[in-house]
Amino acid sequence: MQTPEAGELTLTDDAGRKLPYEDLNEGLNNRDHTVLATVDVPALGYTVLHATASSSAKQPRGYETAPADLTLANDKLIVTIDPKTGCITQITDPTMVHKYLAPNSCGNQLQAFIDTPKEYDAWNIDPGTLDKAPSIIDHVDSIHVVRYSPLRKAIRISRHWQNSTFTQSISLDAGADHIDISNDIDWHESHVLLKAAFPLAATSPKATYEIPYGSIERPTTRNNSWEKAQFEVPAMRWADLGDDHQGLSILNDSKYGYDAVGNTLRITLLRSPTWPDAEADRGHQHFVYSLYPHTGTWKQAQTVRRGYELNDPLKATQVFAHTGTLPAEHSFASIENPNVTLTAIKKAEDSDALVFRMYEWAGTATEVKLHIPHGATYAIESNMMEKPEGDHLSLTNDVVTVPIEPYEILTLQAIYPNPSVSGNKP
C-alpha cells in the first residue's frame, strides 16, 4: 500500500482495535508499506482494515536476538538449521515429543541427477534416472538471518553449483504450523534434474499424493516392476509421508513431481531439457514450497486445506473509503464440514442460479451444511453439466443441507428470484 506522507503507520480493524504488524519495507521507502499482520478473515469473504499514516516518526520494530545455532521457533514448531551446510537438521514441536526428520539427516538437501531421456526430452524421465547417485549441492556461499522479529523469523542461504546459483529463504511466522521455503534460482544447466530431499522420522509402505478432487496412495518400496515404474509420480498441491502417529506434507505452489522411497520424500524442483526448446527452464525461477509437519494422519491434519492455502493465499487490496450496502466483514459462502472442500462458485451458464461445486476428500459420508448468499428460494443438486437432478433440498436460514458420499464430487444450484441478490452487489 502507499501512504501520502512519511511517518508511523497505524493498522486497525473496523472496531478501531489496533493490530500488531510489521512493515517489511521498513527503511526502504517512506511511502510504500508491505505489511505482515495476523488477521482473521471469514471463509470466501473479506474483512476491512484501516491503515493510517501519522506524522510521528516511524518506530523501529522489536527484533529478537537470533540464536547462534540458527534455530527458528514459535509456539508450534522449532526448526534447526546447520550453519555450515544449510541443512534442516530437525523439525520438532516445542515439547520435543514429536521429531519429524530422521536423526542425523539433512532435510532440504538439494540433489542433482543426470537427466538424459532417450526420447521426448522435455516430457520423459527415464527409468534408472533416480537410481544413480546424485550430486549433492551442499556448498554454502553465505547463510545469515534476514529477519528475526516477533511475527517472522527467516534465514537466507545462498549457494552456487556449476553454472547456477541458489537462494533459499527459510521462514517461520508467528503462530504458523508450517515452514515456508522461498526459492530464487538462476538456473543454467543442461540435462540435470534437481530435487529437494527430506529423510523423515516416520514412514509407511505407501505415500499419499493429491490428484484432482482426491488423493492416491503409491508405494515407497521397489519390490517389483509395478513399484519400480512409480519412481517419479505426479501430484497437485501436496504429497505426504508418515504413519498413524505423525507425518510430513510437502506443499507446493507450482512443482508437481515427487518420489518417495523408504523414509525419504522428495520434490522435483527443476529440469533442463534441450528439446524442443533448447533454453527450457533456464534463467531466473521463483517458487515456494512449504513443509507441514503434523501429528496423526494427513486427513486428521487437514493437509488438503494447507495445500489450498498455499496456492490461493489471502489477497489484500488497497481501496479508499466509499459507500456501499455490505458490512465491514462478510462471508459469501462457507461449508461447516472440514472434510468437504468448496472448489468453485459461479453463475449458471443457462440461468441466473448460482452453482456450487464441492468434494469430500477424507472418505467419510457426511451431511454437508453449505452457507450461501442470502435470498435463495430453493437449492437443488445438478450434474456437472448443470442439469438439475432430484428434489429440492432443505434450505433454512441460507444454509443448504445435503448428504455427500465418500470421495464424491457434488454440484448444487441455488435459485434466486432476483439475479442481483445472488451477486450481493454493493
Side-chain angles (χ1 to χ4, degrees), residues 109-426:
Q109 184 181 70
L110 297 181
Q111 301 178 351
F113 294 83
I114 297 173
D115 181 23
T116 53
K118 293 179 180 179
E119 294 183 294
Y120 304 107
D121 200 16
W123 291 269
N124 286 358
I125 301 173
D126 281 0
T129 298
L130 305 182
D131 295 336
K132 301 171 185 177
S135 297
I136 305 301
I137 304 174
D138 55 2
H139 173 76
V140 173
D141 294 330
S142 66
I143 180 169
H144 59 278
V145 175
V146 292
R147 194 172 194 87
Y148 216 88
S149 62
L151 293 186
R152 172 169 293 172
K153 297 171 175 61
I155 292 170
R156 183 172 297 154
I157 304 167
S158 297
R159 312 175 189 269
H160 74 275
W161 178 76
Q162 296 192 161
N163 302 308
S164 302
T165 59
F166 308 80
T167 301
Q168 291 188 311
S169 294
I170 303 175
S171 63
L172 180 66
D173 287 353
D177 55 10
H178 62 276
I179 305 111
D180 290 330
I181 302 178
S182 177
N183 298 265
D184 285 280
I185 299 177
D186 193 19
W187 184 243
H188 296 282
E189 307 303 325
S190 291
H191 292 295
V192 174
L193 181 150
L194 181 69
K195 282 182 173 284
F198 296 87
L200 306 183
T203 188
S204 168
K206 293 184 178 181
T208 308
Y209 305 84
E210 187 185 44
I211 59 176
Y213 285 87
S215 60
I216 188 170
E217 292 183 335
R218 295 187 170 105
T220 60
T221 52
R222 300 292 184 265
N223 295 328
N224 53 54
S225 60
W226 294 90
E227 294 179 355
K228 290 178 182 178
Q230 299 179 63
F231 62 91
E232 176 82 358
V233 297
M236 291 184 66
R237 301 170 187 87
W238 57 268
D240 182 88
L241 179 58
D243 54 28
D244 290 340
H245 304 289
Q246 68 175 53
L248 184 138
S249 302
I250 302 179
L251 319 173
N252 80 84
D253 70 351
S254 59
K255 302 296 175 181
Y256 308 114
Y258 291 86
D259 74 295
V261 179
N263 70 325
T264 299
L265 181 62
R266 297 187 294 197
I267 180 172
T268 301
L269 305 181
L270 288 169
R271 294 185 67 222
S272 45
T274 58
W275 184 88
D277 180 0
E279 298 298 322
D281 285 353
R282 277 42 162 215
H284 178 253
Q285 305 282 339
H286 174 78
F287 53 89
V288 176
Y289 55 92
S290 296
L291 311 179
Y292 176 42
H294 57 81
T295 57
T297 66
W298 66 266
K299 292 181 181 180
Q300 294 166 329
Q302 295 191 44
T303 288
V304 171
R305 178 173 179 174
R306 295 297 185 272
Y308 274 100
E309 288 170 348
L310 176 64
N311 281 263
D312 297 291
L314 184 66
K315 296 177 177 62
T317 302
Q318 183 177 4
V319 297
F320 297 97
H322 60 277
T323 59
T325 59
L326 292 175
E329 183 173 285
H330 181 63
S331 170
F332 290 98
S334 64
I335 288 180
E336 295 183 16
N337 315 79
N339 60 316
V340 180
T341 297
L342 182 63
T343 61
I345 304 175
K346 63 180 288 289
K347 179 185 174 296
E349 296 296 316
D350 299 323
S351 72
D352 290 321
L354 281 183
V355 177
F356 300 84
R357 182 159 295 131
M358 66 202 75
Y359 75 104
E360 199 287 322
W361 49 259
T364 304
T366 302
E367 282 284 310
V368 176
K369 293 190 178 298
L370 169 68
H371 294 249
I372 64 174
H374 178 69
T377 54
Y378 68 91
I380 191 169
E381 287 191 44
S382 73
N383 61 26
M384 298 185 80
M385 298 301 293
E386 301 182 5
K387 301 300 181 183
E389 297 178 340
D391 300 325
H392 292 189
L393 301 171
S394 173
L395 175 60
T396 305
N397 296 326
D398 301 320
V399 177
V400 182
T401 302
V402 59
I404 191 170
E405 297 300 319
Y407 305 113
E408 181 183 2
I409 302 172
L410 178 64
T411 303
L412 304 181
Q413 291 190 33
I415 312 302
Y416 290 83
N418 181 351
S420 64
V421 174
S422 64
N424 272 298
K425 296 179 180 179

